[in-house]
Amino acid sequence: PALYAAGDFNRDGASDLAVAHAETAQVFLYLREADGAFSLARRVPSLTDAKALAALASAPGAPADRVLVLSGKENALAE
């Protein structure tokens, strides 16, 4: 079981992909390369039992888009 969200997480203008795996409490970030392929995954610790994953778009000139994870087990929202 995995959750997916797309956003520009490194501000290069290309859509990147975040994938949350609920059982391992990790989010994997795949950044879009210049040739259109995705980079190897960057693992980021997250909440256990992820129920929702979303990309929060930032305003122009602001920092990169953010990934939000909602956990049912921990009753928490993490960025």
Side-chain angles (χ1 to χ4, degrees), residues 32-65:
R32 181 80 63 163
E33 302 283 342
D35 64 1
F38 285 101
S39 67
L40 294 177
R42 294 182 184 183
R43 278 192 303 212
V44 180
S46 185
L47 300 172
T48 59
D49 192 35
K51 295 294 184 193
L53 182 70
L56 181 61
S58 59
D65 294 351

Side-chain angles (χ1 to χ4, degrees), residues 61-74:
D65 294 351
R66 296 175 288 175
V67 178
L68 302 177
V69 180
L70 176 66
S71 168
K73 190 174 191 176
E74 297 182 41

Side-chain angles (χ1 to χ4, degrees), residues 5-53:
D8 186 3
F9 303 122
N10 61 351
R11 299 296 277 177
D12 65 354
S15 292
D16 305 312
L17 185 63
V19 179
H21 193 278
E23 294 173 7
T24 62
Q26 295 182 71
V27 172
F28 299 89
L29 294 178
Y30 297 89
L31 303 177
R32 181 80 63 163
E33 302 283 342
D35 64 1
F38 285 101
S39 67
L40 294 177
R42 294 182 184 183
R43 278 192 303 212
V44 180
S46 185
L47 300 172
T48 59
D49 192 35
K51 295 294 184 193
L53 182 70

